[in-house]
Amino acid sequence: MNPTRLLAQSFRTLPRYRLRTAFMMLASFVGAAALTLVISVGEGAKRKTMNTVRQLFGASSILIMGSGTEFMGGPRPDAARFTIDDVEAVAKQVPEIEAWDPQQAMPAASVRHGDATTKARVLGASERFQQVWDRGVVRGETFDLSAVNGSARVALIGQSAARALFATEDPLGAEILIGQVTFKVIGVLEVFGTDLHGMDRDNEVVVPITTLQRRLMNVDTIAAAKLLVRDQDQVAAASKEVQRVLRDRHAIPTGRPDDFRLITAVAVQQMVAKTGRVLDVYLPLVALVALAVGGMVAAALMLVSVNQRIGEIGLRRALGARAEDIGLQFLIETAVTALGGGLLGVAVGSAGALLVAQKMHLGPVFSWKAVLIALVASAVVGLLSGVVPARRAARLLPADSLR
């Protein structure tokens, strides 16, 4: 029989068995939707993560984390003190250091303006905040050295926090209350999005480090510091020197572990890349398992269909249809049904990926690779699941089928 006629016959047959067709399409629909969603969101998340790593660290940066700080999961009673003096000593003794910025944080401080209240992360930073962290203001201005030395009550506000407190009102020049201390908003921070932990970095307020220490937290320690190295090829050597200086200052004897932690961009990028490779393998594998299970369901349904259509098969054989024609028709029916479900799954999976991306601020996530993999996988699973029913239908003898 002509392949075009076989294809037309298959399309005419599918509406006659609506329930069976719907269940077969559902099986491939779920797998294709899962594949499209997982691959699209995974690629978007990896791209967002690498962009965040580059923004937070950069190729020529070193991050020093004090032990037992809020950045490391909460303070310990025996945690070593990490101070601005430590970082100043490092900057003086390690000539590769170009710039540095200390940080302390209040993870969820109460911030108010008029009747509006929100919980925001309050960061303390130096006048080098913009240079070191590569994040400036879109409106207003940043604070300077005199503001840091004088513990000025000035603040830079993130755009999420600004919307929560001011709605459509202009925050520049307005006053906000952090705890019981009044601050004047002098700048609106550039959009950052979410960080590696899924935290909204636009829901934060940056104030001079000395103001945070003295007026809000009553501490003289810092949680972390970021160092910029002049030559990115010297990051490894500079890290060793930073470690030596801090161990000497903290009087750590040989054989004892550091009471601080050094993180370089290279180490973070390697960790992110390793995690990405694991996700690239296991998440699509789960979706492929779902698609394979759907294929087995489709095969079972087509076997039932063969039993239900024995009379039809016998009649067509008696009228001259070859065994190959009967087998090919069932194979086409299974493949077309699976591919139809796959197309619907790709559409729903892409829409779901878009919603997840908007929720997680991942940016555009549409992936032609995800679409191609989902459709090819659906077609292949459909063809494979149709092989057994097609062979069984083709082996039926006309006399036995009509009996």
Side-chain angles (χ1 to χ4, degrees):
M1 184 181 288
N2 187 288
T4 304
R5 292 183 63 186
L6 272 177
L7 189 61
Q9 177 66 25
S10 299
F11 276 109
R12 285 195 298 268
T13 303
L14 292 178
R16 290 168 50 195
Y17 303 94
R18 290 185 178 88
L19 187 60
R20 186 207 70 193
T21 302
F23 276 112
M24 290 175 62
M25 291 183 69
L26 179 63
S28 61
F29 166 83
V30 172
L35 265 175
T36 306
L37 177 66
V38 166
I39 294 175
S40 298
V41 172
E43 288 187 351
K46 284 195 299 182
R47 186 168 57 250
K48 170 67 175 178
T49 299
M50 294 309 297
N51 289 340
T52 302
V53 167
R54 283 191 289 268
Q55 188 169 0
L56 285 176
F57 298 99
S60 61
S61 61
I62 302 171
L63 189 65
I64 309 173
M65 310 285 286
S67 62
T69 68
E70 292 290 349
F71 283 78
M72 297 286 287
R76 300 193 310 265
D78 61 342
R81 290 169 52 79
F82 182 43
T83 66
I84 293 178
D85 290 342
D86 288 332
V87 190
E88 287 180 339
V90 166
K92 290 178 181 177
Q93 297 182 46
V94 181
E96 292 85 1
I97 302 302
E98 178 183 18
W100 55 276
D101 182 64
Q103 286 209 338
Q104 182 58 277
M106 298 172 65
S110 175
V111 184
R112 288 177 287 169
H113 170 71
D115 296 330
T117 303
T118 189
K119 291 287 186 181
R121 185 170 183 246
V122 178
L123 289 176
S126 73
E127 73 281 2
R128 295 176 293 272
F129 171 80
Q130 180 174 354
Q131 175 190 0
V132 174
W133 294 95
D134 192 24
R135 188 183 185 190
V137 295
V138 292
R139 290 190 297 129
E141 60 184 11
T142 60
F143 46 79
D144 56 15
L145 178 60
S146 62
V148 175
N149 290 339
S151 302
R153 292 180 294 177
V154 293
L156 311 177
I157 190 168
Q159 298 191 27
S160 295
R163 283 193 299 269
L165 293 174
F166 295 93
T168 58
E169 181 185 347
D170 186 0
L172 286 181
E175 291 187 344
I176 58 175
L177 202 63
I178 304 177
Q180 301 300 319
V181 182
T182 302
F183 287 80
K184 179 181 178 181
V185 177
I186 62 171
V188 178
L189 291 167
E190 293 178 346
V191 172
F192 187 103
T194 55
D195 65 8
L196 298 176
H197 304 287
M199 181 187 300
D200 181 7
R201 291 296 304 273
D202 296 314
N203 186 38
E204 61 186 19
V205 179
V206 180
V207 302
I209 180 76
T210 51
T211 311
L212 182 77
Q213 288 178 313
R214 298 168 188 172
R215 299 182 185 274
L216 295 177
M217 297 184 67
N218 193 28
V219 298
D220 60 357
T221 58
I222 58 175
K226 182 179 178 182
L227 314 175
L228 292 184
V229 180
R230 289 185 174 86
D231 184 356
Q232 67 181 52
D233 295 332
Q234 298 298 317
V235 169
S239 296
K240 293 181 180 179
E241 282 299 297
V242 170
Q243 182 182 30
R244 179 189 63 77
V245 173
L246 288 178
R247 287 183 66 90
D248 288 345
R249 285 186 60 84
H250 292 187
I252 301 174
T254 303
R256 292 286 300 276
D258 297 337
D259 58 6
F260 54 90
R261 184 179 175 189
L262 297 181
I263 304 175
T264 64
V266 174
V268 174
Q269 289 172 359
Q270 289 174 345
M271 179 183 66
V272 171
K274 182 178 180 181
T275 304
R277 286 193 295 269
V278 172
L279 295 179
D280 283 343
V281 173
Y282 288 103
L283 289 182
L285 185 61
V286 172
L288 283 172
V289 169
L291 198 57
V293 172
M296 288 186 282
V297 172
L301 290 172
M302 285 303 292
L303 284 172
V304 173
S305 178
V306 170
N307 293 331
Q308 292 175 339
R309 296 164 62 184
I310 287 178
E312 174 193 334
I313 295 170
L315 181 60
R316 292 190 60 200
R317 290 294 307 276
L319 293 175
R322 297 173 301 173
E324 294 81 0
D325 296 332
I326 300 297
L328 185 57
Q329 180 182 343
F330 276 86
L331 192 62
I332 290 174
E333 287 181 19
T334 310
V336 167
T337 306
L339 188 57
L343 286 168
L344 290 174
V346 165
V348 172
S350 298
L354 181 60
L355 292 175
V356 172
Q358 290 176 345
K359 186 71 174 178
M360 298 177 63
H361 307 285
L362 297 181
V365 293
F366 181 79
S367 170
W368 283 110
K369 182 176 79 172
V371 171
L372 183 61
I373 290 175
L375 291 180
V376 170
S378 298
V380 170
V381 169
L383 287 170
L384 292 177
S385 61
V387 168
V388 174
R391 292 182 63 184
R392 180 170 179 181
R395 288 175 179 175
L396 290 174
L397 297 176
D400 294 334
S401 302
L402 292 172
R403 189 173 299 163

